[in-house]
Short mmCIF file of all heavy atoms in Angstrom, two decimals:
data_model
loop_
_atom_site.label_atom_id
_atom_site.label_comp_id
_atom_site.label_asym_id
_atom_site.label_seq_id
_atom_site.Cartn_x
_atom_site.Cartn_y
_atom_site.Cartn_z
N ALA A 14 -9.03 -15.32 -40.73
CA ALA A 14 -9.88 -14.53 -39.83
C ALA A 14 -9.57 -14.85 -38.37
O ALA A 14 -9.51 -13.95 -37.52
CB ALA A 14 -11.36 -14.79 -40.13
N ARG A 15 -9.38 -16.16 -38.06
CA ARG A 15 -9.05 -16.54 -36.70
C ARG A 15 -7.70 -15.98 -36.29
O ARG A 15 -7.52 -15.50 -35.17
CB ARG A 15 -9.06 -18.06 -36.57
CG ARG A 15 -10.45 -18.68 -36.58
CD ARG A 15 -10.40 -20.13 -36.11
NE ARG A 15 -9.59 -20.94 -36.99
CZ ARG A 15 -10.04 -21.56 -38.07
NH1 ARG A 15 -11.32 -21.45 -38.42
NH2 ARG A 15 -9.25 -22.31 -38.83
N SER A 16 -6.74 -16.02 -37.20
CA SER A 16 -5.42 -15.48 -36.91
C SER A 16 -5.47 -13.98 -36.66
O SER A 16 -4.83 -13.45 -35.74
CB SER A 16 -4.47 -15.78 -38.07
OG SER A 16 -3.19 -15.23 -37.84
N ALA A 17 -6.28 -13.29 -37.47
CA ALA A 17 -6.42 -11.85 -37.28
C ALA A 17 -7.11 -11.54 -35.95
O ALA A 17 -6.74 -10.60 -35.25
CB ALA A 17 -7.22 -11.24 -38.43
N GLY A 18 -8.10 -12.37 -35.59
CA GLY A 18 -8.79 -12.17 -34.32
C GLY A 18 -7.86 -12.37 -33.13
O GLY A 18 -7.88 -11.61 -32.16
N ILE A 19 -7.02 -13.40 -33.21
CA ILE A 19 -6.06 -13.65 -32.14
C ILE A 19 -5.06 -12.51 -32.04
O ILE A 19 -4.69 -12.06 -30.95
CB ILE A 19 -5.35 -14.99 -32.37
CG1 ILE A 19 -6.34 -16.15 -32.21
CG2 ILE A 19 -4.18 -15.16 -31.40
CD1 ILE A 19 -5.74 -17.50 -32.54
N SER A 20 -4.62 -12.01 -33.18
CA SER A 20 -3.67 -10.90 -33.19
C SER A 20 -4.26 -9.66 -32.53
O SER A 20 -3.59 -8.99 -31.74
CB SER A 20 -3.25 -10.59 -34.62
OG SER A 20 -2.36 -9.50 -34.66
N VAL A 21 -5.52 -9.36 -32.84
CA VAL A 21 -6.18 -8.20 -32.22
C VAL A 21 -6.34 -8.41 -30.72
O VAL A 21 -6.11 -7.49 -29.92
CB VAL A 21 -7.55 -7.95 -32.88
CG1 VAL A 21 -8.34 -6.89 -32.11
CG2 VAL A 21 -7.37 -7.53 -34.33
N THR A 22 -6.70 -9.63 -30.32
CA THR A 22 -6.87 -9.92 -28.90
C THR A 22 -5.56 -9.76 -28.15
O THR A 22 -5.52 -9.18 -27.06
CB THR A 22 -7.40 -11.35 -28.72
OG1 THR A 22 -8.65 -11.49 -29.40
CG2 THR A 22 -7.60 -11.67 -27.25
N VAL A 23 -4.47 -10.28 -28.71
CA VAL A 23 -3.17 -10.16 -28.06
C VAL A 23 -2.76 -8.70 -27.94
O VAL A 23 -2.23 -8.26 -26.91
CB VAL A 23 -2.12 -10.97 -28.84
CG1 VAL A 23 -0.71 -10.66 -28.31
CG2 VAL A 23 -2.40 -12.45 -28.73
N THR A 24 -3.02 -7.92 -28.97
CA THR A 24 -2.70 -6.49 -28.92
C THR A 24 -3.46 -5.79 -27.81
O THR A 24 -2.91 -4.99 -27.04
CB THR A 24 -3.00 -5.83 -30.26
OG1 THR A 24 -2.24 -6.46 -31.30
CG2 THR A 24 -2.66 -4.35 -30.23
N LEU A 25 -4.75 -6.09 -27.70
CA LEU A 25 -5.56 -5.49 -26.64
C LEU A 25 -5.08 -5.92 -25.25
O LEU A 25 -5.01 -5.10 -24.33
CB LEU A 25 -7.03 -5.87 -26.83
CG LEU A 25 -7.73 -5.28 -28.06
CD1 LEU A 25 -9.14 -5.85 -28.19
CD2 LEU A 25 -7.80 -3.76 -27.96
N LEU A 26 -4.76 -7.21 -25.11
CA LEU A 26 -4.30 -7.71 -23.81
C LEU A 26 -2.98 -7.08 -23.40
O LEU A 26 -2.80 -6.68 -22.24
CB LEU A 26 -4.18 -9.24 -23.86
CG LEU A 26 -5.48 -10.03 -23.97
CD1 LEU A 26 -5.18 -11.52 -24.08
CD2 LEU A 26 -6.38 -9.75 -22.77
N THR A 27 -2.04 -7.02 -24.34
CA THR A 27 -0.74 -6.44 -24.00
C THR A 27 -0.85 -4.95 -23.69
O THR A 27 -0.15 -4.44 -22.82
CB THR A 27 0.26 -6.67 -25.15
OG1 THR A 27 -0.31 -6.18 -26.38
CG2 THR A 27 0.59 -8.14 -25.30
N THR A 28 -1.75 -4.25 -24.39
CA THR A 28 -1.96 -2.83 -24.09
C THR A 28 -2.53 -2.65 -22.69
O THR A 28 -2.08 -1.79 -21.92
CB THR A 28 -2.91 -2.20 -25.13
OG1 THR A 28 -2.35 -2.36 -26.43
CG2 THR A 28 -3.12 -0.73 -24.83
N GLU A 29 -3.53 -3.48 -22.36
CA GLU A 29 -4.10 -3.41 -21.02
C GLU A 29 -3.08 -3.79 -19.96
O GLU A 29 -3.02 -3.18 -18.88
CB GLU A 29 -5.32 -4.34 -20.94
CG GLU A 29 -6.01 -4.37 -19.58
CD GLU A 29 -6.68 -3.05 -19.24
OE1 GLU A 29 -6.74 -2.16 -20.10
OE2 GLU A 29 -7.15 -2.92 -18.09
N HIS A 30 -2.25 -4.79 -20.26
CA HIS A 30 -1.19 -5.21 -19.34
C HIS A 30 -0.23 -4.04 -19.08
O HIS A 30 0.14 -3.77 -17.93
CB HIS A 30 -0.45 -6.41 -19.92
CG HIS A 30 0.39 -7.13 -18.93
ND1 HIS A 30 0.79 -8.45 -19.10
CD2 HIS A 30 0.94 -6.73 -17.75
CE1 HIS A 30 1.52 -8.81 -18.07
NE2 HIS A 30 1.63 -7.80 -17.25
N TYR A 31 0.16 -3.37 -20.13
CA TYR A 31 1.07 -2.23 -20.00
C TYR A 31 0.43 -1.11 -19.17
O TYR A 31 1.08 -0.52 -18.31
CB TYR A 31 1.45 -1.71 -21.38
CG TYR A 31 2.28 -0.45 -21.35
CD1 TYR A 31 3.64 -0.50 -21.10
CD2 TYR A 31 1.68 0.79 -21.58
CE1 TYR A 31 4.39 0.67 -21.07
CE2 TYR A 31 2.43 1.95 -21.55
CZ TYR A 31 3.79 1.89 -21.29
OH TYR A 31 4.52 3.04 -21.24
N ASN A 32 -0.84 -0.84 -19.42
CA ASN A 32 -1.53 0.20 -18.66
C ASN A 32 -1.61 -0.14 -17.18
O ASN A 32 -1.42 0.72 -16.31
CB ASN A 32 -2.94 0.43 -19.22
CG ASN A 32 -2.92 1.06 -20.60
OD1 ASN A 32 -1.96 1.74 -20.97
ND2 ASN A 32 -3.97 0.83 -21.38
N LEU A 33 -1.90 -1.39 -16.88
CA LEU A 33 -1.98 -1.81 -15.49
C LEU A 33 -0.61 -1.74 -14.80
O LEU A 33 -0.51 -1.34 -13.63
CB LEU A 33 -2.54 -3.24 -15.40
CG LEU A 33 -4.01 -3.40 -15.78
CD1 LEU A 33 -4.39 -4.88 -15.81
CD2 LEU A 33 -4.90 -2.65 -14.79
N GLN A 34 0.43 -2.12 -15.52
CA GLN A 34 1.77 -2.00 -14.96
C GLN A 34 2.12 -0.54 -14.69
O GLN A 34 2.76 -0.21 -13.67
CB GLN A 34 2.80 -2.62 -15.91
CG GLN A 34 2.74 -4.13 -16.03
CD GLN A 34 3.35 -4.83 -14.81
OE1 GLN A 34 3.46 -4.28 -13.72
NE2 GLN A 34 3.79 -6.05 -15.00
N SER A 35 1.70 0.35 -15.57
CA SER A 35 1.94 1.78 -15.37
C SER A 35 1.18 2.29 -14.15
O SER A 35 1.71 3.10 -13.37
CB SER A 35 1.53 2.56 -16.61
OG SER A 35 2.28 2.16 -17.75
N LEU A 36 -0.05 1.82 -13.97
CA LEU A 36 -0.83 2.22 -12.80
C LEU A 36 -0.19 1.70 -11.52
O LEU A 36 -0.16 2.41 -10.49
CB LEU A 36 -2.26 1.70 -12.94
CG LEU A 36 -3.12 2.38 -14.00
CD1 LEU A 36 -4.44 1.65 -14.16
CD2 LEU A 36 -3.36 3.84 -13.64
N ARG A 37 0.33 0.48 -11.56
CA ARG A 37 1.02 -0.05 -10.38
C ARG A 37 2.24 0.78 -10.05
O ARG A 37 2.51 1.10 -8.88
CB ARG A 37 1.43 -1.51 -10.60
CG ARG A 37 0.29 -2.50 -10.66
CD ARG A 37 0.80 -3.93 -10.52
NE ARG A 37 1.30 -4.14 -9.16
CZ ARG A 37 1.97 -5.23 -8.78
NH1 ARG A 37 2.27 -6.17 -9.67
NH2 ARG A 37 2.37 -5.37 -7.53
N ALA A 38 3.00 1.15 -11.06
CA ALA A 38 4.18 1.98 -10.83
C ALA A 38 3.79 3.34 -10.25
O ALA A 38 4.48 3.88 -9.38
CB ALA A 38 4.95 2.16 -12.13
N ALA A 39 2.64 3.88 -10.72
CA ALA A 39 2.18 5.17 -10.20
C ALA A 39 1.78 5.07 -8.73
O ALA A 39 2.09 5.97 -7.93
CB ALA A 39 1.00 5.67 -11.03
N THR A 40 1.11 3.99 -8.35
CA THR A 40 0.72 3.83 -6.95
C THR A 40 1.94 3.68 -6.05
O THR A 40 2.00 4.27 -4.96
CB THR A 40 -0.20 2.61 -6.76
OG1 THR A 40 0.47 1.43 -7.22
CG2 THR A 40 -1.48 2.77 -7.56
N ILE A 41 2.91 2.90 -6.51
CA ILE A 41 4.13 2.72 -5.71
C ILE A 41 4.89 4.04 -5.59
O ILE A 41 5.39 4.40 -4.51
CB ILE A 41 5.02 1.64 -6.34
CG1 ILE A 41 4.31 0.28 -6.28
CG2 ILE A 41 6.37 1.55 -5.64
CD1 ILE A 41 5.01 -0.82 -7.05
N GLY A 42 4.97 4.78 -6.69
CA GLY A 42 5.65 6.07 -6.65
C GLY A 42 4.96 7.06 -5.72
O GLY A 42 5.63 7.77 -4.96
N GLU A 43 3.62 7.09 -5.76
CA GLU A 43 2.90 8.01 -4.88
C GLU A 43 3.06 7.62 -3.42
O GLU A 43 3.26 8.48 -2.55
CB GLU A 43 1.42 8.06 -5.24
CG GLU A 43 0.64 9.05 -4.39
CD GLU A 43 -0.84 9.10 -4.74
OE1 GLU A 43 -1.22 8.53 -5.78
OE2 GLU A 43 -1.60 9.71 -3.97
N ALA A 44 3.00 6.32 -3.13
CA ALA A 44 3.16 5.87 -1.74
C ALA A 44 4.55 6.23 -1.21
O ALA A 44 4.69 6.73 -0.08
CB ALA A 44 2.94 4.37 -1.65
N ASN A 45 5.57 5.99 -2.03
CA ASN A 45 6.93 6.33 -1.60
C ASN A 45 7.09 7.84 -1.43
O ASN A 45 7.75 8.30 -0.49
CB ASN A 45 7.94 5.80 -2.61
CG ASN A 45 8.03 4.29 -2.61
OD1 ASN A 45 7.68 3.64 -1.63
ND2 ASN A 45 8.48 3.72 -3.71
#
Side-chain angles (χ1 to χ4, degrees):
R15 287 194 299 272
S16 178
I19 293 175
S20 178
V21 171
T22 301
V23 170
T24 301
L25 292 174
L26 292 177
T27 53
T28 302
E29 179 68 8
H30 195 158
Y31 174 79
N32 291 334
L33 291 173
Q34 289 284 22
S35 299
L36 290 172
R37 291 195 69 189
T40 58
I41 295 172
E43 182 180 349
N45 291 337

